[in-house]
Amino acid sequence: MTAFWEYLILLEVAYKLLEKDQNTYRHNHNLNQLYTDLEAVYRAPDFSAEGDFAERLSNLSQRLINEYKARFDGHDGQRLSAAQVTQLLYTHDLRDLRLKVSEYLEFKESVWVLFDNLDRGWNTRGLDAIDAIVLRCLVDAGRRLEREMRRDGHKFHCLVFVRNDVYDHLVKHSTDYGKELRATLDWSDPDMLREMFRLRLISALDGAEEVLKRPTLKRA
């Protein structure tokens, strides 16, 4: 599961780099060859980069399911070696993909990978064992990729947003999660909460700032 998340995060970073520079790389001699090389590695056979993040996640998961069934269907309790997991999981040459992403990031100031709304599809009764494992592996994958990219000299950040009760659950069931950096967002100040809503509206709507500044008209 950790390997899956690490692979997915790396693919999403590559996707965003290619998307951001698709109209400018031809006119930038620093990025031109790097962009071409990264695109060649990213556009691997049997890999679909279409749709939004949810669709790409679903496609990658379904490919993994189909590949597992084709190789091991009918074998209950099948235990896989590290080599088998690698063959099953990766469509891309992971080492080459990581190298190309790292080379490209030499010309980027920083990378921020943010995960939010993770509890949207969880059981209404709370966090179950499978959810906890998936979340723990996601955090581990982000931490591992952070270390690798920072070792190459890049400013790379991977943040996971969870509710306090979910975080407390992870801490209770993990020996090393007390070492994780934690920032608590507690909207106890009504004025700060209103200001946050105002800024969100401004960023989401064209001309919203002028609209919000206008006096409210009241009917006589």
Side-chain angles (χ1 to χ4, degrees), residues 104-121:
Y104 204 98
L105 292 181
E106 292 289 339
F107 297 92
K108 298 297 180 181
E109 184 175 342
S110 62
V111 175
W112 292 82
V113 182
L114 310 178
F115 285 91
D116 198 5
N117 292 326
L118 295 174
D119 59 346
R120 183 171 294 176

Side-chain angles (χ1 to χ4, degrees), residues 10 13 166 184:
L10 197 59
V13 172
V166 174
T184 302

Side-chain angles (χ1 to χ4, degrees), residues 144-159:
R144 181 186 300 178
L145 203 52
E146 275 186 350
R147 285 199 303 266
E148 292 174 351
M149 290 300 172
R150 289 178 180 179
R151 196 160 49 234
D152 291 343
H154 308 308
K155 295 180 181 179
F156 194 100
H157 311 272
C158 187
L159 305 181

